[in-house]
Amino acid sequence: MNQYTLPIIFGVAFGVFTRLYMLRTDYRQYPTYLHGKIIHVALGVIAAGLGTIAIPAIMEEEFTAITFLTLAASQFREVRNMERNTLTELDGYELVPRGATYIEGIAVAFESRNYLVIFTSLVVTLIYLALNVWAALASGVICLLVSKKLMAGSKIKDIVDIEYVAPHFEGAGLYVDNIYIMNIGVPDKQEAVLKYGMGFVLTPKNYNARNTIANLGQRQAILHDVSTALGVHRDSGEPSLVPLAKRDLDDGRLGVFVLPQGGDKDLAKTVIGEVPTLENAIRMPSESKANKEGRSVK
């Protein structure tokens, strides 16, 4: 053992703990339990090791040794590609797909979490060597809180008001409130829709939210999460029983039609509210220079 052994062990341990904390399998069942988790934990150990040994390498003036961090960045980009390719292949077998926007968001999240592990291990090891173990412990807790904050992100409930509205037919047209969803002319399918279907109206809280929920990827994420959490009353080859989300073109409200196997509308409303606001779907037209200098956007 030498002067760097304990700081390295401490830094690696805190980095791995951070990765374990950020690795959760929820109702969406991704990453899969158990083998999917093993892959990400193994990558977390590698990331923690890379971040930890960077500080001793600098202190020993082994500056060429830290160039491997650039190699690590390229390797973790491959993690992003791996997640994207895997989820894209699996998406074709989902009754209600995630969609490309949701998949890209998941892939980016898994890549970025490895960088958070590197940062945590690097900071903890540096503080241990510069101060003491207690200061390193405090810095590790702070890094963990920062990781938790970055991991959380915003939810749909933060940008819209959600209201349950029973779906109804006007002739062959299916409506949620006054928002047209689709045309269903088969009486048996209409009965199934009225029996199992639920409708929700998402009213944006501001102009930015209106543009965000208009994104097709964000809409598909809502439909996928509700169908995953509550099940879906359909099978392949039944286009009339596909969950859909359509806009009211006048005011930007979003009508969501789902066919869950469970009939708990309050639970469905909660699930919709917990759907993440996808980074690639967020639109902020009110921040554009043209809108700031021109008309007021509401």
Side-chain angles (χ1 to χ4, degrees):
M1 296 178 67
N2 58 39
Q3 61 177 327
Y4 300 122
T5 302
L6 290 178
I8 287 175
I9 293 174
F10 197 79
V12 170
F14 232 107
V16 173
F17 178 76
T18 300
R19 187 66 188 97
L20 289 172
Y21 176 76
M22 292 188 291
L23 187 64
R24 297 179 180 177
T25 299
D26 55 17
Y27 62 89
R28 288 165 291 194
Q29 288 299 299
Y30 198 83
T32 54
Y33 183 87
L34 175 65
H35 295 90
K37 285 191 171 182
I38 290 174
I39 294 172
H40 289 288
V41 171
L43 291 169
V45 173
I46 295 171
L50 292 172
T52 300
I53 63 176
I55 299 303
I58 293 173
M59 296 181 71
E60 290 295 324
E61 297 184 353
E62 297 288 345
F63 300 115
T64 58
I66 65 172
T67 57
F68 58 78
L69 289 176
T70 60
L71 178 62
S74 64
Q75 292 301 313
F76 289 133
R77 278 196 295 270
E78 289 302 314
V79 173
R80 179 174 174 179
N81 293 331
M82 176 189 72
E83 296 299 334
R84 182 193 300 114
N85 294 337
T86 299
L87 290 174
T88 300
E89 290 294 326
L90 295 176
D91 214 36
Y93 297 96
E94 296 278 359
L95 288 174
V96 182
R98 288 181 176 88
T101 308
Y102 204 172
I103 289 174
E104 188 63 29
I106 294 172
V108 169
F110 277 116
E111 180 187 3
S112 64
R113 288 172 188 177
N114 286 310
Y115 299 138
L116 287 174
V117 171
I118 292 176
F119 174 76
T120 299
S121 297
L122 188 149
V123 169
V124 169
T125 305
L126 175 62
I127 298 300
Y128 193 116
L129 291 169
L131 299 175
N132 54 54
V133 64
W134 301 112
L137 182 62
S139 66
V141 172
I142 293 173
C143 289
L144 189 63
L145 294 175
V146 170
S147 299
K148 179 182 178 182
K149 178 66 176 177
L150 294 175
M151 174 182 164
S154 61
K155 308 292 184 182
I156 282 293
K157 64 183 178 183
D158 298 327
I159 64 172
V160 301
D161 295 316
I162 306 170
E163 178 187 3
Y164 172 79
V165 178
H168 65 278
F169 282 95
E170 295 181 10
L174 174 63
Y175 287 82
V176 172
D177 197 13
N178 65 331
I179 304 173
Y180 174 78
I181 302 298
M182 60 178 164
N183 187 286
I184 302 177
V186 181
D188 290 343
K189 300 298 183 183
Q190 290 185 354
E191 292 178 8
V193 165
L194 294 176
K195 181 177 180 181
Y196 298 103
M198 291 184 186
F200 297 90
V201 175
L202 279 57
T203 304
K205 295 181 179 181
N206 53 51
Y207 189 77
N208 293 333
R210 181 189 303 182
N211 285 272
T212 298
I213 63 173
N215 183 275
L216 296 177
Q218 184 65 69
R219 298 192 220 177
Q220 192 62 36
I222 295 171
L223 299 174
H224 173 79
D225 274 12
V226 174
S227 299
T228 301
L230 302 180
V232 57
H233 185 78
R234 72 174 297 250
D235 204 349
S236 59
E238 291 183 307
S240 57
L241 298 180
V242 176
L244 289 173
K246 293 292 186 69
R247 294 181 69 204
D248 185 324
L249 299 181
D250 294 326
D251 56 19
R253 292 179 306 146
L254 188 67
V256 177
F257 168 72
V258 292
L259 286 132
Q261 289 181 328
D264 191 337
K265 61 185 180 182
D266 292 327
L267 178 57
K269 183 176 178 179
T270 301
V271 172
I272 292 174
E274 291 297 319
V275 174
T277 305
L278 304 182
E279 290 185 15
N280 295 327
I282 293 175
R283 300 291 181 269
M284 302 184 69
S286 65
E287 298 298 318
S288 72
K289 184 177 180 181
N291 282 323
K292 287 182 177 180
E293 295 180 354
R295 63 185 179 86
S296 175
V297 178
K298 298 180 180 181

